[in-house]
């Protein structure tokens, strides 16, 4: 070896790492859905909540053979030890006709029913834009219009119990 090895100074190393980070961001950026998922996973905030199991999804391949046509409706059923959550997700009528209200922000309509939670449960829908209060009627039914398409989940609070669905990309 001719001459002593020279180590980079902290300033040189910081500059090199910054340039490397910029190159990676330009050449191989993290996909948007991955970033969305990371942000949503970080927002889990209630690790004691019981996770409702997805027991039926109309998009599961085995069930698609029995479904004809693209009506744009997705049916989901969750179960959490006797509390059953049924969701129907659809596109608003003008979305299905190809006339989106806002081309940059496709929307969804959500209709739901909760059985077995008892009277007085509260619920909220978490989505990319924040939380929406869900106001069920006396039979546990609710409807939310003009939701932004993308990841969402439903959270229920009953007497002494918290239940949440998995994140769904709708």
């Amino acid at each position: 070896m001719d001459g002593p090895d020279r180590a980079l100074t902290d300033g040189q190393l910081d500059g090199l790492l910054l340039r490397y980070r910029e190159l990676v961001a330009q050449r191989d950026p993290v996909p948007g859905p991955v970033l969305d998922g990371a942000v949503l996973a970080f927002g889990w905030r209630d690790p004691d909540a019981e996770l409702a199991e997805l027991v039926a999804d109309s998009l599961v391949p085995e069930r698609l053979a029995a479904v004809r046509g693209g009506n744009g409706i997705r049916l989901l059923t969750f179960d959490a030890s006797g509390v059953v959550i049924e969701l129907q997700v659809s596109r608003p009528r003008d979305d299905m006709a190809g006339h989106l209200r806002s081309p940059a922000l496709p929307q969804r309509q959500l209709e739901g029913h909760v059985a077995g939670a008892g009277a007085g449960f509260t619920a909220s829908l978490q989505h990319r834009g924040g939380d929406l209060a869900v106001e069920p009627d006396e039979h546990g039914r609710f409807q939310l219009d003009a939701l932004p398409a993308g990841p969402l989940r439903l959270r229920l609070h009953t007497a002494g119990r918290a239940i949440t669905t998995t994140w769904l990309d709708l």
Side-chain angles (χ1 to χ4, degrees):
M1 284 188 142
D2 294 11
D5 291 335
R6 291 194 299 148
L8 295 174
T9 65
D10 286 344
Q12 291 172 324
L13 184 58
D14 289 344
L16 187 60
L17 289 175
L18 178 62
R19 180 67 182 131
Y20 179 71
R21 188 177 308 132
E22 290 169 352
L23 285 171
V24 169
Q26 289 172 359
R27 300 281 173 129
D28 189 20
V30 177
V34 173
L35 287 175
D36 289 345
V39 169
L40 295 173
F42 183 72
W44 180 268
R45 295 190 196 134
D46 191 358
D48 294 328
E50 181 179 351
L51 185 61
E53 178 184 1
L54 179 63
V55 294
D57 184 346
S58 63
L59 289 185
V60 173
E62 297 86 329
R63 302 183 115 213
L64 285 178
V67 177
R68 300 283 178 195
N71 62 4
I73 295 175
R74 184 173 179 187
L75 304 172
L76 302 142
T77 304
F78 295 88
D79 183 34
S81 303
V83 174
V84 177
I85 303 165
E86 298 173 316
L87 303 176
Q88 175 179 306
V89 183
S90 59
R91 290 184 232 128
R93 291 194 187 275
D94 43 344
D95 280 5
M96 288 192 281
H99 300 53
L100 294 173
R101 291 182 191 124
S102 170
L105 299 171
Q107 296 182 337
R108 302 291 182 258
Q109 180 180 31
L110 177 75
E111 295 180 40
H113 178 246
V114 176
F121 74 89
T122 61
S124 65
L125 183 83
Q126 294 181 308
H127 62 92
R128 179 178 294 153
D131 289 3
L132 288 174
V134 174
E135 297 182 24
D137 66 11
E138 65 273 8
H139 303 290
R141 296 178 301 217
F142 56 90
Q143 180 173 332
L144 296 167
D145 296 315
L147 294 171
L152 59 82
R153 74 175 173 175
L154 188 68
R155 297 173 57 88
L156 302 177
H157 295 280
T158 65
R161 192 170 171 197
I163 300 170
T164 185
T165 66
T166 56
W167 286 100
L168 303 164
D169 192 18
L170 305 174

